[in-house]
C-alpha cells in the first residue's frame, strides 16, 4: 500500500483506530525516519488502549481489579483510581514497538494493532507481581513454539499465562457515557488472540 501523498504530523493524528491504521501505514513507509517511526508508534500505543478510558471503558480487567472496583461502590468517575489500579499493556510496550518497527506485511500490522495492543486494568499487587519477572520483557516462548507451551507462541498475553493468570481476565462491556459497567465475563486469553503467524519477530 503506497503512503499518502500528504502525511499528517503526529499532533494531527485523529482519535480513531481506523485512521490510526492508515497513519501507521504512512509512518512505516521507507521515507519516514526511524526516529519519526518510533515516536509515532509510541504515541499510538499510549493512546490505543486508552481510547475509551484508562479504567472505566477499558475492555479488559482482572477479576481481582473488578472485585476491588465493586468494593468501591462501582464509581462512575475515575478520580482516585490510580491508588488501586494500574492500566498496563498486556504485551510490554517496548516489545511491541521493537516488533512493530521491523519490516512487516500488512496482515501482520493489523494483527499487531488489533490483537497485540491490549490494555488491561490490574490491581497494584498484580502489577508488582507482573513487573517482578516481566516488567519490560515477554517470555522467550512467545517467539519460539518449541519452548514450554505453544499456547504462548505469538500470544500477546504470554506474561499472564506464564504467571498463571490465564483465568483472571474479564472481558467488560461499559456504558462509557454514564461510566457504568454493563456486564463482564471470562475471557480465554490462551487461544484466538495471537498475532499473525508471519510476523517478523
Amino acid at each position: 500500500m503506497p503512503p499518502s501523498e500528504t502525511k499528517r504530523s503526529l499532533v494531527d493524528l485523529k482519535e480513531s483506530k481506523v485512521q490510526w491504521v492508515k497513519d501507521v501505514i504512512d509512518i512505516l513507509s521507507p521515507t519516514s525516519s526511524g526516529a519519526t517511526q518510533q515516536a509515532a508508534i509510541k504515541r499510538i500505543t499510549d493512546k490505543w488502549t486508552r481510547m475509551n478510558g484508562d479504567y472505566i471503558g477499558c475492555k479488559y480487567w482482572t477479576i481481582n481489579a473488578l472485585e476491588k472496583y465493586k468494593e468501591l461502590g462501582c464509581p462512575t468517575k475515575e478520580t482516585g483510581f490510580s491508588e488501586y489500579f494500574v492500566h498496563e499493556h498486556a504485551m510490554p510496550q517496548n516489545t511491541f514497538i521493537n516488533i512493530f518497527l521491523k519490516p512487516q506485511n500488512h496482515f501482520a500490522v493489523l494483527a499487531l494493532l488489533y490483537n497485540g495492543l491490549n490494555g488491561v486494568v490490574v490491581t497494584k499487587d498484580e502489577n508488582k507481581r507482573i513487573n517482578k519477572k516481566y516488567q519490560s520483557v515477554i517470555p522467550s516462548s512467545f517467539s519460539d513454539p518449541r519452548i514450554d507451551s505453544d499456547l504462548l507462541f505469538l500470544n500477546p498475553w504470554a506474561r499472564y499465562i506464564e504467571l498463571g493468570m490465564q483465568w483472571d481476565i474479564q472481558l467488560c462491556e461499559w456504558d462509557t457515557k454514564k461510566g457504568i459497567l454493563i456486564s463482564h465475563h471470562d475471557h480465554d486469553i490462551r487461544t484466538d488472540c495471537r498475532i499473525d503467524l508471519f510476523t517478523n519477530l
Side-chain angles (χ1 to χ4, degrees), residues 126-189:
E126 287 173 328
N127 189 58
K128 290 177 182 177
R129 180 185 172 195
I130 294 167
N131 288 343
K132 185 176 181 179
K133 190 171 184 180
Y134 296 117
Q135 181 168 6
S136 299
V137 297
I138 201 161
S140 55
S141 46
F142 170 81
S143 56
D144 189 343
R146 299 170 298 174
I147 300 176
D148 189 27
S149 169
D150 64 358
L151 288 175
L152 279 66
F153 180 56
L154 296 180
N155 191 324
W157 294 91
R159 293 188 301 165
Y160 286 75
I161 298 172
E162 186 73 20
L163 291 171
M165 298 175 66
Q166 63 266 33
W167 308 116
D168 296 349
I169 306 302
Q170 296 287 296
L171 180 61
C172 302
E173 181 182 0
W174 297 86
D175 182 332
T176 53
K177 291 184 178 179
K178 296 181 180 179
I180 296 173
L181 177 65
I182 298 173
S183 65
H184 63 89
H185 58 82
D186 294 341
H187 180 62
D188 189 350
I189 60 175

Side-chain angles (χ1 to χ4, degrees), residues 2-201:
S4 301
E5 292 183 4
T6 304
K7 293 186 180 181
R8 297 179 299 123
S9 70
L10 297 186
V11 294
D12 292 332
L13 290 178
K14 294 181 180 178
E15 305 302 309
S16 161
K17 287 186 176 181
V18 173
Q19 183 60 57
W20 284 346
V21 171
K22 296 177 182 177
D23 289 326
V24 163
I25 299 301
D26 279 348
I27 291 163
L28 295 180
S29 70
T31 57
S32 297
S33 70
T36 296
Q37 291 177 345
Q38 187 160 0
I41 300 305
K42 173 67 164 59
R43 181 182 184 278
I44 288 175
T45 59
D46 282 337
K47 299 291 288 183
W48 185 281
T49 63
R50 293 177 166 86
M51 175 173 273
N52 295 319
D54 284 355
Y55 309 102
I56 294 175
C58 184
K59 188 175 180 180
Y60 301 109
W61 284 56
T62 63
I63 191 66
N64 290 330
L66 276 178
E67 287 177 357
K68 184 62 181 178
Y69 167 75
K70 292 175 181 178
E71 286 178 14
L72 295 172
C74 299
T76 58
K77 303 294 183 182
E78 295 185 343
T79 305
F81 272 28
S82 60
E83 181 179 349
Y84 307 100
F85 309 115
V86 175
H87 178 114
E88 75 124 20
H89 292 86
M91 180 191 293
Q93 197 173 26
N94 288 340
T95 299
F96 179 90
I97 293 172
N98 289 338
I99 294 173
F100 205 89
L101 289 178
K102 294 181 179 181
Q104 306 290 356
N105 64 51
H106 292 164
F107 293 108
V109 167
L110 291 174
L112 278 165
L113 287 170
Y114 284 99
N115 289 353
L117 264 185
N118 299 303
V120 55
V121 177
V122 301
T123 66
K124 286 292 189 71
D125 286 343
E126 287 173 328
N127 189 58
K128 290 177 182 177
R129 180 185 172 195
I130 294 167
N131 288 343
K132 185 176 181 179
K133 190 171 184 180
Y134 296 117
Q135 181 168 6
S136 299
V137 297
I138 201 161
S140 55
S141 46
F142 170 81
S143 56
D144 189 343
R146 299 170 298 174
I147 300 176
D148 189 27
S149 169
D150 64 358
L151 288 175
L152 279 66
F153 180 56
L154 296 180
N155 191 324
W157 294 91
R159 293 188 301 165
Y160 286 75
I161 298 172
E162 186 73 20
L163 291 171
M165 298 175 66
Q166 63 266 33
W167 308 116
D168 296 349
I169 306 302
Q170 296 287 296
L171 180 61
C172 302
E173 181 182 0
W174 297 86
D175 182 332
T176 53
K177 291 184 178 179
K178 296 181 180 179
I180 296 173
L181 177 65
I182 298 173
S183 65
H184 63 89
H185 58 82
D186 294 341
H187 180 62
D188 189 350
I189 60 175
R190 300 174 305 159
T191 57
D192 299 327
C193 58
R194 299 177 193 236
I195 59 176
D196 190 76
L197 181 64
F198 297 103
T199 302
N200 179 13
L201 301 177

